[in-house]
Amino acid sequence: MKKIISLFLCITLISSLLVGCGSIDSENGDTTNATTGSDQSETKTNMSDQEPVEIRIGFWPAEDRENELVEFEEYKKICEEKYPYITVIPDYYKYDESTFLPMALAGETPTVFSTWFTEPKKLIEGGYVADITEIIQETGYDKKINPGFLEITSKEGRLYGLPYSGYGLGLLMNMNLFREAGLVDSEGMPLYPKTYDELVKTAEIITEKTGKAGMYIATNSNVGGWHFTNLAWNFGAEFEVLEDGKWMSNIDSPEVIESLKFIRSLKYDSNVLLPDALLAWGEWVQNYGTDNVGMVLAAVDAINNPVQQYSMNKDAIAIAPMPEGPGGQYALTGGNIYMFSADATPEQIDACLKFMEITGFSPNISEELKTSWDNTYSTKAENGEVVGPTSIPVWIDEDRVKAENEIIEKYTNVDMKLFNDYFEVTPNILKPEEPVFTQELYATLDDVIQATLASPDSDIEGIVKAADEKFQKDYLDTLN
Amino acid sequence: MKDLKKGALISFKQNFTSWLFIIPSIILFSFFIWHPLLSGIRYSFFKMNGFKMIEFVGFDNYINVLSSSDFYNALNNTFSYAFWSIIIGYFAPIIIAIFLNELVHFKGVFRLGVYFPNIVPGLAAYLMWKMLMAPGEGGVFNTIIGWFGLGPFMWIQDPRYSIPLIIMTMTWKAFGGAVLIYMASLQSVDQNLYEAVAIDGGGIWTKIRHITIPKIMPLAKMMLILQFINVFKVMQEPLIMTDGGPLNSSMSLLLLTYKYAFKYNKIDMAATVGSLVGILLFVISFIYMKVTKNKEA
C-alpha cells in the first residue's frame, strides 16, 4: 500500500513538472495557453474562408499608458471586425539587447516588435527575424519608404524590417536654463551655438549665470562613444577606414585627439560639465529633466523622456541642429524599425501589416487612416506629451507626409519655432553610424573619454594610441 | 564485476521509491543546471552565430579570449574583488554574530536589523548606494562630509576605490545571511563550557578565544571558500552601479561574459570566459580543500 501511495505521489510530481514546462507551438512560437481569444477566432473562421491567424503585437503600449491602451484596444476591435480571421494578441515587449536573445531562442518573440536602427545587422545575421522581401514587394511599401532608411534593414538585397521613424542627433536645450542665463532673443527664442567655439561660450554663460552644468558629455555604457563619434566627425574624424579590403582603426588620428582636447577643455578650462565620471542615458534624462544641464546631444525622438520621467515642462524643450565643426557638420542617424519574428508565417506577417495599417503605419491616405492618426496624436496630447516635432519622414510620398502633418498640427502643443531649425538642417547632414563593430567601438571610446576626462593633464596621445591598437587587434583584425 | 552489477541492481530495487522521489529533482537539475553548464562548455569550442553553432574551432575561442586585454583586466579585477571581500566582508559577520550571541536584550531586534538589507531587492539596494555616493557637491555622502569641510569625493566613480566600495555595499547587503549561519552554530555551543571557563576565572576574551572561535572554525573555513566563489561571480553590482567603469576598473569576469553575450552577441566568447571561470574556481577550491585538509590532519 505504501509503495502504491509513493508511486502515485511520484507520478503526480513528475506529471506536474512536465505540465509546468508547457508546450510551444513550433508553427508560430506561441505558448498554447497564451491565447485568450481562441474561441472567438474559431467562430470567426466559419464566417470567413481564410485560415485563422493569430498575431502577437510586441509594440503594444505598456500597462501604465492607459490612454494608449484604450486606443490599441480600439484598433484590435476594428482589426478583428474588418478581418474576422485575425486574432490580435497584445504582447508588450520593449526591445532590450539583454533580453532579446534569450527570448528569441525560446521561440517567444512577438510576431512583430519594434527595435532600433543599431540592431538589424545583429538580428539578421543571427536568423532571429523573418525575411519579408516578397510580401513587402507585393504591398509596394518598398517603393514608398525612404531608400536610405530601408537600406538599414536590408542585407544582400533582402528586406527584413520596416523603418517607421528616423532622426539625427541634435543639440537639445533646456529653455529654463537658457532663459535664466539670458540666452534668448527678443522673441524668446534660444541663441543657440552654431559652431563649437560658440558652444563653449554658451555653456560657459549657462554655468556662470545659473550655476548649473552648461553641457552634458556622456562617458559610459556605450552612450559616451555613441555621442562622441558624432562630435568627432564634426572635427573631421573617421573611426574606421577600409584600406585594400581591410578594416583599419583610425582612432589614433589628429582629429580624434583634437575632439578629445575639446571635451577635456570643457571640463577643466571652462568647468561646464557635471562632476560625475560615469554618465550614460539615464543620467542625461535626469539632469536635463531636472534643470541641471543646459545642453545635451540627443535626438527628437527622446524629448518625451524627461517629460514622462521627471515631469519636465514641455515648453522648456528646444532642439537645434548639431553645431558645425572644423571638419564639417554631421548628425548621426538613428531611428526605429518594425521587425518580424523568424517563426512568423507569411499569413501572420500579412495580418500584422493589416493591423499596422489600422494603427496608422501605411504609405496611403484614407479617411480610416486619418481617424487613426487623429486618435494617436490626440491621445499623446491628452497624456501631456510633446506633440508637434516629428521624426524625419519615412514615407517618400509628400502628400502622405503632408496629410499626417496636418493632423499633427491640429494637436501641436509646443512652439514649433523652438524646433524648426533642427528640422530644416538635420535631414541634409545625416550620417550613418560607423559600419563595423559599432557597439565595440563605442565601448572602446567610452574608455578613451573616461581616461581623457580623468585629469587635466591626461596623456591623450597615449590614450588614443592604446585604444587604436586594442580596437584593431581585438576586433577589426578578426574581420581581415 | 558481475557481483558488483547485481549488487547495484539489488540496491536500486531496494531504493526504488527513493529514486522515484528524486526523479523530479534530477529532471529539474538536468534542465536548469547540467544542460546549460555542458552547453556552455560545448559552445566554447564552436564558432557561434547567436545561439547557433556554426563550426567547430577547437581552442580558437580560448586563444582569442586569452590574448585579449579585456580578459586580463577583468581577471585582475575579479581577484581584487575577492581580496577586498575577504578584507571587508569576511570578518564582519563573525564579529557581529559573536556580539549578537552575547546580547541579552533586544536580540531579536538586532537580528532583524542585521538581516534586513538581505530582504531589499538587489536593484533597489545598489541604485540607492549609487545615489548616496553620487559625486559632486550635491551627492548625499559629499553633502555630509562637506559639513566637516571635507570632499567632495568621486566615491565609486574613482577607479582607485570602485572595487572596495562595491564590496562594501555587497557586504552591507549580504552579510546578514552569514551572521545567521554563524549564530546558529554558536547557539549549539554547550553552555557548560562557558560556565567552566567562568569558574576557572576566565573572562569574555578567554571564552571567545578558547570556545567560540574553535567552535565556528570549521564553518568559517567553509564560509571562506563559499564567499570567495560567490564574490568571484560578481556581476549584478558593477552592472548596476558602474557598468564596469570607470576605465574598466570595476569590470568583473562575469560582467565581461554578460557583455560578450548580450551586448555584442558573441556567445562563443561569453561561453569561453564562463568556462575559464569554472576551471579557475574548480582549481582554487581544489587547492583550498587540499591545504585545509592537510592542516587538519
Side-chain angles (χ1 to χ4, degrees):
Chain A
M1 186 61 192
K2 201 171 144 194
K3 267 199 169 171
I4 293 169
I5 293 172
S6 302
L7 198 66
F8 175 73
L9 279 173
C10 286
I11 290 168
T12 316
L13 262 173
I14 295 166
S15 48
S16 65
L17 182 75
L18 294 175
V19 168
C21 290
S23 64
I24 291 177
D25 182 352
S26 60
E27 195 62 33
N28 56 19
D30 293 343
T31 51
T32 46
N33 56 359
T35 313
T36 47
S38 57
D39 295 343
Q40 285 176 355
S41 71
E42 273 167 33
T43 331
K44 283 169 194 163
T45 324
N46 301 333
M47 294 156 56
S48 160
D49 296 336
Q50 289 268 20
E51 283 291 311
V53 174
E54 279 176 4
I55 49 170
R56 285 165 58 203
I57 305 295
F59 55 87
W60 207 265
E63 288 285 321
D64 59 336
R65 320 270 300 159
E66 285 170 19
N67 292 342
E68 280 173 56
L69 276 174
V70 173
E71 191 189 330
F72 267 68
E73 280 302 331
E74 185 61 26
Y75 293 149
K76 174 175 153 75
K77 211 173 120 194
I78 297 170
C79 181
E80 289 175 346
E81 271 169 18
K82 195 170 172 191
Y83 310 104
Y85 63 97
I86 298 178
T87 304
V88 177
I89 302 167
D91 188 8
Y92 167 67
Y93 173 65
K94 188 175 187 302
Y95 184 86
D96 185 322
E97 57 210 344
S98 57
T99 56
F100 184 81
L101 287 187
M103 184 180 73
L105 192 71
E108 289 291 321
T109 317
T111 323
V112 57
F113 61 97
S114 162
T115 182
W116 321 307
F117 276 16
T118 48
E119 302 304 293
K121 190 171 174 282
K122 180 166 82 179
L123 302 185
I124 296 167
E125 280 173 8
Y128 304 121
V129 286
D131 181 339
I132 53 170
T133 318
E134 276 79 26
I135 200 158
I136 296 302
Q137 279 169 353
E138 273 173 36
T139 60
Y141 281 16
D142 55 328
K143 301 275 183 300
K144 294 167 183 169
I145 293 179
N146 182 331
F149 288 157
L150 214 54
E151 203 182 306
I152 294 166
T153 59
S154 305
K155 195 191 173 196
E156 291 161 7
R158 309 294 297 173
L159 184 66
Y160 295 86
L162 295 168
Y164 67 90
S165 69
Y167 56 79
L169 278 182
L171 191 68
L172 200 56
M173 296 167 286
N174 181 314
M175 286 307 292
N176 289 335
L177 296 183
F178 265 70
R179 286 178 194 126
E180 200 182 326
L183 288 164
V184 284
D185 63 14
S186 54
E187 286 177 34
M189 291 299 117
L191 297 168
Y192 68 81
K194 295 188 175 66
T195 65
Y196 284 84
D197 287 338
E198 286 180 21
L199 187 137
V200 175
K201 280 181 200 131
T202 311
E204 282 174 350
I205 294 171
I206 293 171
T207 302
E208 191 193 327
K209 297 271 172 67
T210 67
K212 302 293 169 64
M215 180 72 195
Y216 183 91
I217 295 289
T219 58
N220 206 27
S221 301
N222 298 13
V223 181
W226 177 48
H227 282 181
F228 180 73
T229 45
N230 197 160
L231 193 142
W233 284 341
N234 295 342
F235 279 82
E238 215 178 334
F239 291 89
E240 295 171 350
V241 280
L242 199 55
E243 282 174 13
D244 303 327
K246 286 185 176 177
W247 283 105
M248 303 306 289
S249 167
N250 198 30
I251 297 174
D252 186 4
S253 71
E255 293 83 8
V256 173
I257 292 171
E258 201 54 37
S259 330
L260 288 166
K261 282 183 179 160
F262 173 79
I263 58 169
R264 187 178 63 182
S265 142
L266 283 179
K267 185 168 177 87
Y268 293 105
D269 299 333
S270 307
N271 292 314
V272 294
L273 302 188
L274 289 164
D276 307 54
L278 302 175
L279 293 164
W281 180 271
E283 286 80 11
W284 88 249
V285 178
Q286 183 188 4
N287 283 292
Y288 175 83
T290 52
D291 296 346
N292 280 310
V293 152
M295 294 179 284
V296 57
L297 299 187
V300 78
D301 72 319
I303 56 177
N304 272 313
N305 292 28
V307 177
Q308 286 162 354
Q309 292 172 31
Y310 296 96
S311 307
M312 186 183 184
N313 179 359
K314 59 182 170 43
D315 298 322
I317 296 171
I319 190 165
M322 284 294 289
E324 191 173 353
Q329 188 181 21
Y330 299 103
L332 189 146
T333 320
N336 299 294
I337 314 157
Y338 291 126
M339 295 193 102
F340 301 82
S341 162
D343 297 326
T345 61
E347 291 75 25
Q348 284 179 308
I349 294 170
D350 181 65
C352 285
L353 291 175
K354 288 190 162 68
F355 179 77
M356 282 149 68
E357 179 155 17
I358 291 167
T359 66
F361 180 80
S362 166
N364 309 316
I365 311 167
S366 68
E367 281 313 307
E368 196 181 18
L369 270 169
K370 283 184 180 172
T371 316
S372 156
W373 296 331
D374 202 287
N375 283 338
T376 305
Y377 294 108
S378 65
T379 308
K380 278 183 192 288
E382 273 170 37
N383 282 345
E385 290 176 31
V386 179
V387 180
T390 53
S391 72
I392 296 159
V394 165
W395 306 106
I396 299 171
D397 184 359
E398 282 181 14
D399 289 340
R400 155 70 176 76
V401 176
K402 209 174 139 201
E404 189 173 356
N405 283 347
E406 273 169 15
I407 290 170
I408 293 173
E409 268 169 38
K410 214 167 99 183
Y411 295 103
T412 295
N413 55 11
V414 286
D415 185 352
M416 283 306 289
K417 282 191 210 144
L418 296 165
F419 302 85
N420 283 346
D421 288 3
Y422 167 84
F423 284 108
E424 209 168 283
V425 177
T426 306
N428 309 319
I429 58 168
L430 291 176
K431 181 170 165 136
E433 293 179 288
E434 295 287 340
V436 292
F437 287 113
T438 317
Q439 293 298 330
E440 289 83 348
L441 172 70
Y442 295 159
T444 309
L445 291 176
D446 274 355
D447 295 345
V448 169
I449 299 163
Q450 287 174 17
T452 300
L453 295 180
S455 105
D457 317 308
S458 50
D459 170 21
I460 295 182
E461 282 80 5
I463 294 166
V464 290
K465 190 166 183 287
D468 190 89
E469 283 167 9
K470 179 176 179 286
F471 186 61
Q472 183 69 43
K473 180 176 148 286
D474 286 359
Y475 301 108
L476 296 185
D477 279 349
T478 62
L479 291 179
N480 297 330
Chain B
M1 189 70 191
K2 211 174 173 185
D3 286 347
L4 199 72
K5 269 188 180 172
K6 207 176 168 189
L9 195 69
I10 289 168
S11 158
F12 181 78
K13 272 186 181 169
Q14 279 171 348
N15 297 320
F16 180 69
T17 322
S18 319
W19 277 106
L20 276 180
F21 274 109
I22 288 172
I23 285 173
S25 309
I26 290 180
I27 295 174
L28 285 174
F29 259 94
S30 13
F31 188 74
F32 288 111
I33 297 182
W34 298 328
H35 176 257
L37 199 88
L38 294 174
S39 298
I41 296 169
R42 202 156 52 115
Y43 291 162
S44 70
F45 292 102
F46 281 82
K47 183 176 184 243
M48 305 281 294
N49 183 1
F51 281 94
K52 279 188 213 121
M53 287 182 284
I54 304 295
E55 62 172 314
F56 181 77
V57 291
F59 285 96
D60 278 8
N61 290 330
Y62 286 86
I63 294 166
N64 283 342
V65 165
L66 291 172
S67 59
S68 139
S69 51
D70 288 339
F71 176 77
Y72 290 103
N73 173 55
L75 181 71
N76 193 21
N77 288 343
T78 308
F79 274 108
S80 182
Y81 274 110
F83 169 77
W84 282 107
S85 95
I86 304 297
I87 300 288
I88 297 171
Y90 180 64
F91 298 103
I94 301 178
I95 295 164
I96 302 281
I98 293 173
F99 173 72
L100 282 182
N101 199 43
E102 294 297 324
L103 267 187
V104 181
H105 302 293
F106 307 115
K107 203 183 244 185
V109 176
F110 280 107
R111 205 163 40 197
L112 176 73
V114 166
Y115 193 71
F116 188 74
N118 245 294
I119 314 168
V120 182
L123 187 65
Y126 297 123
L127 280 177
M128 179 191 78
W129 277 103
K130 186 184 170 184
M131 278 190 259
L132 291 174
M133 293 194 276
E137 283 163 12
V140 179
F141 283 180
N142 277 341
T143 307
I144 294 169
I145 61 167
W147 296 335
F148 304 100
L150 298 169
F153 296 127
M154 294 294 282
W155 302 101
I156 44 168
Q157 299 199 15
D158 184 326
R160 289 168 299 174
Y161 308 124
S162 53
I163 290 181
L165 287 170
I166 289 174
I167 287 293
M168 192 197 78
T169 61
M170 285 171 75
T171 306
W172 173 84
K173 169 91 178 67
F175 88 121
V179 168
L180 289 193
I181 295 171
Y182 281 118
M183 279 186 75
S185 167
L186 289 173
Q187 305 274 311
S188 65
V189 179
D190 187 352
Q191 292 301 312
N192 291 332
L193 292 173
Y194 287 125
E195 280 168 24
V197 173
I199 290 165
D200 288 345
I204 178 124
W205 290 115
T206 321
K207 284 185 194 171
I208 290 173
R209 209 177 132 202
H210 294 288
I211 302 170
T212 314
I213 292 179
K215 174 69 189 168
I216 57 171
M217 207 48 171
L219 178 68
K221 278 182 188 167
M222 193 191 71
M223 294 294 277
L224 180 72
I225 193 71
L226 285 181
Q227 180 167 340
F228 188 87
I229 291 172
N230 272 332
V231 173
F232 215 81
K233 294 189 288 187
V234 60
M235 187 203 96
Q236 183 194 12
E237 297 78 7
L239 176 68
I240 296 168
M241 296 170 82
T242 60
D243 200 24
L247 296 173
N248 281 322
S249 63
S250 58
M251 179 69 74
S252 68
L253 281 172
L254 283 209
L255 185 56
L256 182 68
T257 311
Y258 168 85
K259 290 211 169 189
Y260 274 143
F262 299 118
K263 211 142 201 174
Y264 308 135
N265 197 22
K266 286 188 172 32
I267 304 298
D268 37 18
M269 296 284 268
T272 310
V273 178
S275 303
L276 285 170
V277 171
I279 294 168
L280 259 172
L281 283 178
F282 178 79
V283 171
I284 291 167
S285 309
F286 184 78
I287 294 170
Y288 177 81
M289 296 291 182
K290 272 271 178 215
V291 171
T292 50
K293 206 175 178 186
N294 285 346
K295 269 193 182 169
E296 273 163 22

